[in-house]
Amino acid sequence: MQNTIIINKVLMHMLDFEHNTIHLSEEFAPINDTTRDYYHKKIEKALYSNQLKELTVPSLHEMILRGDKMVESDEEFLYQAKEITEHFFKLGTMIQAMPNANMLYVDCYQDGEHVIACLKLNYKYVPMTVIEEGNVRLTRRQIMPTQGSPVDEAIVINVDKKTISLIEKKYSIDGKLQTYLNKEWIKGEEKLTDRQKFNTMKKVVNKLDDIYHVNKTEGLPVMKRIMNEKLMNDEVIKPIEIVKKVLEKDYQASEEADVMMKDLGVGEDDVMKSMPSGKSLETCKLTTDTEVEVKMNVEDYVSGTNYEKVKNEDGTITLMLKNINELIIK
């Protein structure tokens, strides 16, 4: 997985819900030493977010056509971005708690594929102290989204593949927390996010491993090791392919995995572009019925390195850890 982003152009507008107005930029934003890192980080956080979900939409969907127009010329890019911004603003005015936001439009290449990303960067509320006529009071002020903050909302158009993906945020609408972008505007059929695909993989592997006991160790660490190997070799992560690989030693288990994955919404051609955060792929956690937890390196656990499990005559298990130089209490 290359994870390469090349930015062609950037445009920034502002949605001022506090004063019920839109501030439109007439020119593209300069990309220099001061701004480059910010733009790159924001687009990276959107395109590789595990909240990004692809939708199934008609080939002549409004946003697909707008994406095609935006790559035709700078004039079309400016016009379409203005239209999209106005649509975002119209929807936002119907939500009482909608904060001010910057609309960041990025024309870029993601791993060689042409992408138009419309990022809604919501302002954050921070507490501040105000002194007026000798009185001190606490209030809230809105500040621009920082470089490291997540992208709350986005529409990502893959111009080459003719696909639309969304990042959605829940707001209080009619007294209930819910999203609005897809329901009120895009109206596509949702596919699973990468996080949901990963959780589906774990669910299927764990269930079938309990039934068939295909591998010497549990199936989940084997699955993580396969994913790590593919990442190391810069290979595409296909969930169904990996799950079937984990269970390949048992034909029945492998075939059931294929059916279960598809029934749970993961297709044959589905891929994962964002991996679980932290070290969740590199480690596995062993939890005993006596509430003892041991965290181990996935490769060590699958290969049987530095530990040994012994089955006792009374049916209990003894876990022996080896090659320990020092114990550190955390």
Side-chain angles (χ1 to χ4, degrees):
M1 305 184 73
Q2 300 175 47
N3 289 12
T4 300
I5 297 172
I6 300 174
I7 296 177
N8 300 320
K9 64 186 73 166
V10 172
L11 181 68
M12 183 92 76
H13 296 323
M14 183 194 173
L15 305 179
D16 188 349
F17 293 104
E18 190 175 0
H19 300 95
N20 196 36
T21 188
I22 303 174
H23 300 280
L24 296 173
S25 299
E26 298 181 358
E27 299 179 353
F28 291 100
I31 301 176
N32 50 43
D33 292 342
T34 304
T35 62
R36 184 178 292 106
D37 287 347
Y38 182 88
Y39 296 142
H40 194 277
K41 179 60 68 175
K42 302 312 293 189
I43 189 66
E44 184 180 64
K45 281 186 171 292
L47 297 183
Y48 298 108
S49 168
N50 56 24
Q51 299 296 323
L52 188 67
K53 57 188 175 185
E54 185 181 333
L55 304 179
T56 300
V57 297
S59 58
L60 296 180
H61 187 279
E62 168 200 347
M63 293 304 292
I64 296 290
L65 298 179
R66 288 190 186 279
D68 288 340
K69 284 289 187 182
M70 292 174 86
V71 300
E72 284 183 5
S73 66
D74 288 351
E75 291 74 21
E76 277 292 348
F77 193 101
L78 292 168
Y79 175 76
Q80 298 299 334
K82 173 179 174 292
E83 293 281 302
I84 296 169
T85 300
E86 290 174 347
H87 205 135
F88 262 105
F89 186 76
K90 181 180 179 180
L91 289 173
T93 56
M94 296 186 293
I95 301 173
Q96 186 174 2
M98 184 64 74
N100 292 342
N102 286 339
M103 290 298 305
L104 181 64
Y105 295 90
V106 183
D107 179 316
C108 66
Y109 284 92
Q110 177 192 13
D111 302 335
E113 296 175 357
H114 204 164
V115 168
I116 299 294
C118 315
L119 313 184
K120 183 170 175 283
L121 309 179
N122 294 328
Y123 282 46
K124 307 300 179 185
Y125 286 99
V126 296
M128 64 175 296
T129 302
V130 176
I131 302 175
E132 294 177 339
E133 299 179 355
N135 294 320
V136 180
R137 63 182 177 88
L138 190 65
T139 185
R140 296 195 307 166
R141 184 182 66 177
Q142 294 191 70
I143 63 170
M144 288 180 57
T146 61
Q147 179 173 308
S149 62
V151 174
D152 295 314
E153 301 174 69
I155 301 176
V156 177
I157 308 163
N158 187 311
V159 180
D160 292 337
K161 290 185 175 180
K162 308 301 180 189
T163 62
I164 296 176
S165 300
L166 297 185
I167 297 176
E168 295 195 272
K169 179 179 174 64
K170 289 185 177 180
Y171 294 93
S172 180
I173 304 173
D174 297 329
K176 184 189 300 183
L177 278 178
Q178 53 187 311
T179 57
Y180 70 96
L181 266 181
N182 190 40
K183 180 182 178 181
E184 301 295 337
W185 184 3
I186 307 302
K187 299 182 179 180
E189 182 180 341
E190 294 187 11
K191 293 186 177 182
L192 298 182
T193 65
D194 283 346
R195 176 183 291 178
Q196 291 170 325
K197 291 173 189 175
F198 182 67
N199 289 336
T200 301
M201 294 168 70
K202 291 197 297 182
K203 179 179 180 179
V204 171
V205 165
N206 285 334
K207 182 173 183 177
L208 294 179
D209 188 63
D210 285 343
I211 298 172
Y212 294 100
H213 304 290
V214 177
N215 300 282
K216 291 182 180 179
T217 60
E218 294 80 0
L220 185 56
V222 176
M223 184 187 88
K224 289 184 176 183
R225 181 174 71 170
I226 294 172
M227 293 181 72
N228 278 324
E229 289 174 349
K230 286 189 171 293
L231 287 171
M232 290 287 290
N233 296 324
D234 201 27
E235 297 179 27
V236 175
I237 303 293
K238 290 189 173 184
I240 286 185
E241 178 186 285
I242 290 173
V243 170
K244 293 181 71 173
K245 179 73 174 176
V246 173
L247 304 166
E248 66 180 354
K249 294 179 182 177
D250 189 298
Y251 177 79
Q252 184 65 27
S254 180
E255 289 300 298
E256 286 189 32
D258 185 88
V259 174
M260 286 182 65
M261 291 288 286
K262 291 175 181 174
D263 285 346
L264 292 170
V266 182
E268 193 78 47
D269 297 326
D270 280 358
V271 299
M272 292 175 63
K273 292 189 175 181
S274 64
M275 294 299 107
S277 58
K279 295 185 178 181
S280 56
L281 280 185
E282 300 173 10
T283 60
C284 60
K285 184 167 67 175
L286 286 63
T287 304
T288 71
D289 56 356
T290 56
E291 298 185 358
V292 175
E293 294 184 353
V294 179
K295 187 179 290 186
M296 298 183 63
N297 179 276
V298 164
E299 186 61 38
D300 285 352
Y301 184 75
V302 173
S303 62
T305 304
N306 297 327
Y307 81 98
E308 182 180 354
K309 285 194 293 186
V310 179
K311 292 186 177 181
N312 304 316
E313 292 183 359
D314 62 358
T316 60
I317 298 173
T318 297
L319 179 66
M320 295 187 293
L321 304 180
K322 303 178 179 180
N323 304 318
I324 298 173
N325 294 318
E326 183 182 3
L327 281 177
I328 301 174
I329 307 300
K330 293 186 178 180

